[in-house]
Amino acid sequence: MTRTSDDAPDEDAPDVVVLRKSTHGVPVSEYGAELRERLPDRTVAYARTPTEERELVADAPVVAGMELDADLLEHAEAMELFACAYAGTGHLPLDALEDRGVAVTNASGVHGPNIGEHVVGNLLVFARRLHEGWRRQRNREWRHFRAHELQDSTVTVVGLGAIGRSVVERLQGFGVETVGVRYTPEKGGPTDEVVGFEGPEFEDALARTDYLVLACPLTETTRGLIGKPELKTLPPDAVLVNVARGPVVDTDALVWALRGSHLRGAALDVTDPEPLPEDHPLWNFENCLITPHCSGHTPEYYSRLADIVADNVRRLDDGEELRNRVV
């Protein structure tokens, strides 16, 4: 992919093209600027329109963006790497990319610190019942309420990828027991204990969980992982925090659990359906905190992502293994 000075690139033949879709309300042009800073010897082009995307990807070895449809893929004749700006890649035409011999990487690790903080923040809110304090403040009630302690509780983290590990790391010092859930428990992990996704060990972990954190990808295994049987197994004083994907939890079962005091509370950054309809009962539960799938927002998003992609541009040149490769 390296060009010589005799073959200097111009705007029609960039080394890297950044597609136009932004995320978290931050202009994707900032992503392009971060890449230019890290790749001063390469041409990084930002495509502002659909037409510019089709024109620029034609000769670009590396394309970076949130999504890539089949039509744009047809125009990307020179593409060797699609650097997806999301951790999840299920929305991409992966089979077609693989057939074309195009490598695909994701943004795994970019969200670790911010989502880890989001989770711990929600744990502390429920531990100290800060949401009840906010409610009484709105009503101008000077009336005491009882709280809990996070210390000595058991926190089960489902998914020990970059986000799950970040949660566990940030729980150090709070005096909690941690249980990790992963596909290959024999590999261990940063938690005090590691179990698989099913069977007696998983059930036993749920039965002694005070705070259940879902930080796993949505797969055939995890779809509907937490339904009425699992919610019945959790202690009624448990709290569920979901920063994974909405369908990991059976929404109707969650409504049943919250409405019937089978669960102390839930903090949902993702829902099923999403967005949550305005007339959905979850909006009105005082023990359910909802954020609009924004735990992934961080001012460092494009900076961290550019670190990965710039490194992979160099690795692609040198024939080295790519970071975060999924195809």
Side-chain angles (χ1 to χ4, degrees), residues 26-46:
V26 182
V28 74
S29 57
E30 294 187 12
Y31 181 22
E34 294 284 354
L35 282 169
R36 289 188 192 98
E37 182 178 322
R38 289 160 178 76
L39 296 168
D41 56 336
R42 313 298 169 92
T43 299
V44 178
Y46 161 49

Side-chain angles (χ1 to χ4, degrees), residues 154 156 179 181 193 195 200-209 234:
T154 297
T156 296
V179 179
V181 182
E193 180 183 346
V195 301
E201 289 187 340
F202 179 60
E203 295 173 355
D204 178 68
L206 290 178
R208 51 194 169 89
T209 292
L234 285 166

Side-chain angles (χ1 to χ4, degrees), residues 252-275:
D252 290 340
L254 180 61
V255 170
W256 165 83
L258 292 171
R259 179 174 279 154
S261 296
H262 302 290
L263 195 67
R264 175 155 61 97
L268 310 175
D269 189 54
V270 289
T271 60
D272 183 27
E274 188 175 303

Side-chain angles (χ1 to χ4, degrees), residues 241-255:
V241 179
N242 190 4
V243 292
R245 288 293 184 270
V248 174
V249 178
D250 182 326
T251 301
D252 290 340
L254 180 61
V255 170

Side-chain angles (χ1 to χ4, degrees), residues 28-104:
V28 74
S29 57
E30 294 187 12
Y31 181 22
E34 294 284 354
L35 282 169
R36 289 188 192 98
E37 182 178 322
R38 289 160 178 76
L39 296 168
D41 56 336
R42 313 298 169 92
T43 299
V44 178
Y46 161 49
R48 300 169 300 168
T49 68
T51 298
E52 285 187 358
E53 285 185 341
R54 290 190 292 270
E55 292 175 350
L56 290 170
V57 301
D59 299 308
V62 177
V63 178
M66 315 295 161
E67 56 191 21
L68 179 75
D69 59 28
D71 177 65
L72 191 58
L73 178 59
E74 287 299 315
H75 289 81
E77 298 178 358
M79 182 167 60
E80 301 173 33
L81 166 64
F82 180 72
C84 182
Y86 293 139
T89 55
H91 62 292
L92 298 176
L94 295 177
D95 290 341
L97 286 161
E98 187 172 14
D99 290 343
R100 288 267 302 272
V102 177
V104 178

Side-chain angles (χ1 to χ4, degrees), residues 69-245:
D69 59 28
D71 177 65
L72 191 58
L73 178 59
E74 287 299 315
H75 289 81
E77 298 178 358
M79 182 167 60
E80 301 173 33
L81 166 64
F82 180 72
C84 182
Y86 293 139
T89 55
H91 62 292
L92 298 176
L94 295 177
D95 290 341
L97 286 161
E98 187 172 14
D99 290 343
R100 288 267 302 272
V102 177
V104 178
T105 59
N106 67 9
S108 178
V110 169
H111 294 300
N114 43 294
I115 297 184
E117 291 176 2
H118 186 94
V119 168
V120 173
N122 276 299
L123 298 185
L124 291 170
V125 164
F126 275 99
R128 300 306 302 162
R129 295 189 66 201
L130 298 180
H131 57 304
E132 177 60 19
W134 297 330
R135 188 187 71 81
R136 296 191 187 196
Q137 179 181 354
R138 286 197 305 270
N139 295 333
R140 301 184 181 182
E141 296 179 47
W142 185 270
R143 187 162 57 90
H144 288 265
F145 57 88
R146 295 176 130 185
H148 306 265
E149 286 188 0
L150 187 57
Q151 180 170 287
D152 294 329
S153 62
T154 297
V155 181
T156 296
V157 180
V158 180
L160 291 179
I163 293 172
R165 294 194 305 271
S166 180
V167 171
V168 175
E169 179 183 350
R170 280 154 181 76
L171 286 172
Q172 293 179 8
F174 281 99
V176 300
E177 289 290 318
T178 54
V179 179
V181 182
R182 66 184 307 178
Y183 290 107
T184 51
E186 62 274 8
K187 290 184 178 179
T191 50
D192 297 311
E193 180 183 346
V194 181
V195 301
F197 273 94
E198 55 190 15
E201 289 187 340
F202 179 60
E203 295 173 355
D204 178 68
L206 290 178
R208 51 194 169 89
T209 292
D210 299 298
Y211 297 92
L212 178 64
V213 177
L214 304 177
C216 54
L218 180 62
T219 66
E220 289 305 310
T221 298
T222 62
R223 184 179 296 274
L225 179 71
I226 305 300
K228 188 173 284 190
E230 291 75 27
L231 292 169
K232 286 180 179 179
T233 304
L234 285 166
D237 203 36
V239 172
L240 181 149
V241 179
N242 190 4
V243 292
R245 288 293 184 270

